[in-house]
Amino acid sequence: MAAAAALLIVPGQLALSADHLDPPTRTDPAFDTTPDTPADIADVYAWHDATNAYYAVTFAGPTASTAGVYDRDVLYTLNFSTTPPASSADISVRFRFGAATNGTGTGIEVTNLPGVNGALVGPVESILSKDGVRVYAGVRDDPFFFDLQGFRTTRSTGTLAFDKTRNFFRNLNDTVVVFEIPRSRLGAGPIDVWSTTARFGGNL
């Protein structure tokens, strides 16, 4: 299962987002009464400042719940293409969830972080640091903005009916993993980014 958004990290360039409920036959309740919510990528975001690049993968939303969705049987991958072709990953950062190392609560394990020796492991809802990279996993407000009502009206009537003050995602949450990585570790050129999920013991 994959939700892919090619994000070109170049000032002034357009950055695209992936969509929720993709693929619908696996993640949309309209198609499956038991959707695979933990494996449903919502969006992939990327931005940078002079020193660091930041990436956020949101999934398992939108929902009014403030509880994170941490399924130990789902493998998440954040792929980076730093050289042509853009569809080929040069770096694949993988993360998954499980019991925290102290035996209490939930933890995250992140592997293959550029410039990091070994895995980064720690509890969710905490900022984890290792070898100059920082990672956070937890629940946050869904940053995506969209007028779903306006979209449905536009599609049914053929007349544009979007309202910029109406946001379907307001007060709804996603589970999110955010990465802060020094830009120097990703090369000097454009970067294409996409994320995928795979369920252990299930279909891709």
Side-chain angles (χ1 to χ4, degrees):
M1 168 181 319
L7 302 179
L8 194 61
I9 315 298
V10 179
Q13 293 279 355
L14 177 67
L16 303 176
S17 293
D19 62 286
H20 303 66
L21 307 180
D22 184 20
T25 55
R26 291 290 303 278
T27 60
D28 189 342
F31 293 86
D32 187 340
T33 57
T34 58
D36 193 353
T37 301
D40 182 20
I41 296 171
D43 296 291
V44 180
Y45 298 95
W47 67 100
H48 67 81
D49 57 26
T51 305
N52 297 305
Y54 306 90
Y55 305 92
V57 180
T58 62
F59 55 93
T63 176
S65 173
T66 57
V69 177
Y70 308 114
D71 190 326
R72 65 180 301 161
D73 291 327
V74 176
L75 175 65
Y76 302 84
T77 304
L78 180 62
N79 297 290
F80 299 87
S81 177
T82 59
T83 59
S87 58
S88 176
D90 297 296
I91 302 170
S92 292
V93 175
R94 297 178 176 87
F95 57 97
R96 59 183 301 203
F97 301 98
T101 53
N102 62 6
T104 303
T106 301
I108 184 173
E109 178 186 70
V110 187
T111 59
N112 207 34
L113 284 162
V116 175
N117 183 26
L120 187 155
V121 179
V124 299
E125 297 292 352
S126 300
I127 297 176
L128 310 176
S129 301
K130 187 175 182 181
D131 297 334
V133 170
R134 300 201 300 170
V135 175
Y136 168 85
V139 179
R140 285 293 181 263
D141 179 65
D142 192 325
F144 197 78
F145 186 102
F146 189 66
D147 177 13
L148 182 60
Q149 178 182 334
F151 170 76
R152 288 173 173 168
T153 301
T154 299
R155 188 170 61 177
S156 64
T157 65
T159 300
L160 287 176
F162 289 101
D163 181 345
K164 65 181 180 180
T165 67
R166 192 166 49 204
N167 179 20
F168 170 78
F169 295 96
R170 182 182 289 118
N171 298 323
L172 297 177
N173 301 316
D174 292 327
T175 305
V176 61
V177 179
V178 183
F179 302 85
E180 178 186 285
I181 302 172
R183 291 181 62 186
S184 59
R185 300 185 187 179
L186 298 170
I191 301 171
D192 289 273
V193 183
W194 68 99
S195 187
T196 62
T197 57
R199 175 167 292 285
F200 289 96
N203 296 323
L204 296 181

